[in-house]
Amino acid sequence: MNWMDFPNDGFCVHGLAWFEEDRPALRRLPERLKDTFREPVWHLAQCPAGGRILFATDSTHIGVRAKSPDYYVMNHITRIGQSGFDVYVDNRFMGSVSPDEKGNIEAQWHIQNAPGKVRNICIHLPLYKSVVLEQIGLDEGATIHGHKEFALEKPVVFYGTSITQGGCASTPGTSYQNFVSRALNIDFINLGFSGNGLGEPELAKAINEIESSCLVIDHWANKGKDYRENLPVFIGEIRKVHKTEPLIVMGPFFYTRDALDGSLHEEQRKAGEEYVAAMRKAGDRNIHFFDGRRMITPETAFGLVDGVHPNSLGFYLMAQAFTPFLKKVLKL
């Protein structure tokens, strides 16, 4: 196998908006803005959730060598989802790998038995651990091509909480944005910050640096009772730059504790609906509300690993509900 150092211009990095500015670091916010973010946000930005390495190749094998800072894993997510990589070939899952007890990550996958056939490869980066991607391996003499074009030139940007970041998908490629991306052939950027999706102006200003096709604002799970007051302030900052592009406000989905008292989520849902209605009445025809109850319901709450965070099945259910809505908004 021919092991090629990363970064390499043959391997396209997607989902990390400032990669070319900060390469080879795999992070989600730029170094030059570090001092503007709270420390927990900056720490979480080192986790390359939503980051993908895309290319096409006629290689019959794919290899990855990387380094994770540790072997630790949270109790409600898999080690693969938190710290590992997975590989998709022509949009089909091929395999995954997690770090060993020393944080070393190495795997090789036999991906096809058709020498000479060019296939599209997607390597998903970890959801909840900073990593150094050292090398990507291909067959000796294999060719590398650009990946297939997306349906839209610019990515969809998702801002939110641990749910947005990908907690608690069993593999990196099974966050709901990845399901949506594969279904619609669109690029995306994941700016979910676990426990820290607080709708801060510093994040709005960072989002305003990204050229995007659509914005999905999904931070209800961290804002609590302040959600109604924060929503117009946060989106107002974003609308200073992204004046007319589609913007979707996500409402809460079902938590298991809502069966006992769902008043907070009901108030947040009402706040989101009323804000969007008021904005549309004022002339913003490209703002939309999506009711999260269409994603996770009392009947499908088995898709939550702890009553709050979706597992891969839960994220699949979320994507099944959200994909046709986003497709309509994007006019695909």
Side-chain angles (χ1 to χ4, degrees), residues 197-215:
L198 302 180
E200 298 162 293
E202 295 81 8
L203 267 299
K205 291 174 182 176
I207 290 170
N208 283 344
E209 292 190 5
I210 303 171
E211 292 188 10
S212 54
S213 62
C214 181
L215 301 157

Side-chain angles (χ1 to χ4, degrees), residues 153-225:
E153 180 181 356
K154 300 174 183 178
V156 176
V157 175
F158 292 80
Y159 172 75
T161 67
S162 54
I163 296 165
T164 305
Q165 186 169 337
C168 294
S170 59
T171 58
T174 52
S175 69
Y176 85 92
Q177 302 97 330
N178 277 308
F179 283 118
V180 173
S181 173
R182 288 190 290 271
L184 298 181
N185 186 32
I186 57 173
D187 196 7
F188 74 93
I189 291 170
N190 183 331
L191 293 179
F193 300 97
S194 186
N196 286 274
L198 302 180
E200 298 162 293
E202 295 81 8
L203 267 299
K205 291 174 182 176
I207 290 170
N208 283 344
E209 292 190 5
I210 303 171
E211 292 188 10
S212 54
S213 62
C214 181
L215 301 157
V216 181
I217 307 303
D218 190 17
H219 68 303
W220 53 270
N222 286 164
K223 278 309 293 179
K225 295 179 180 179

Side-chain angles (χ1 to χ4, degrees), residues 62-175:
I62 301 293
V64 169
R65 286 175 175 168
K67 183 71 174 179
S68 177
D70 56 54
Y71 186 61
Y72 169 77
V73 62
M74 297 181 287
N75 65 0
H76 59 343
I77 191 171
T78 68
R79 184 170 283 111
I80 293 171
Q82 180 174 344
S83 309
F85 294 74
D86 67 14
V87 173
Y88 281 65
V89 179
D90 291 337
N91 268 0
R92 293 185 176 181
F93 175 71
M94 186 56 58
S96 60
V97 62
S98 61
D100 64 20
E101 63 277 5
K102 295 182 179 179
N104 296 316
I105 298 172
E106 181 167 345
Q108 298 179 30
W109 298 277
H110 187 178
I111 65 168
Q112 62 170 309
N113 291 312
K117 183 176 178 60
V118 175
R119 297 189 183 276
N120 288 284
I121 309 300
C122 178
I123 302 173
H124 295 98
L125 305 180
L127 298 170
Y128 268 85
K129 196 69 64 75
S130 61
V131 291
V132 176
L133 177 55
E134 297 173 337
Q135 293 179 314
I136 294 175
L138 303 176
D139 294 342
E140 292 284 352
T143 60
I144 306 174
H145 309 269
H147 62 88
K148 68 177 181 180
E149 291 186 1
F150 291 113
L152 296 172
E153 180 181 356
K154 300 174 183 178
V156 176
V157 175
F158 292 80
Y159 172 75
T161 67
S162 54
I163 296 165
T164 305
Q165 186 169 337
C168 294
S170 59
T171 58
T174 52
S175 69

Side-chain angles (χ1 to χ4, degrees), residues 18 21-22 25-47 130 193 196 200 203 206:
W18 294 275
E21 180 177 330
D22 286 354
L26 299 170
R27 67 166 68 99
R28 294 183 293 148
L29 292 172
E31 175 77 25
R32 62 181 159 79
L33 296 181
K34 175 181 178 180
D35 293 341
T36 71
F37 306 119
R38 291 182 300 109
E39 192 281 329
V41 172
W42 180 249
H43 173 74
L44 290 163
Q46 310 314 301
C47 308
S130 61
F193 300 97
N196 286 274
E200 298 162 293
L203 267 299

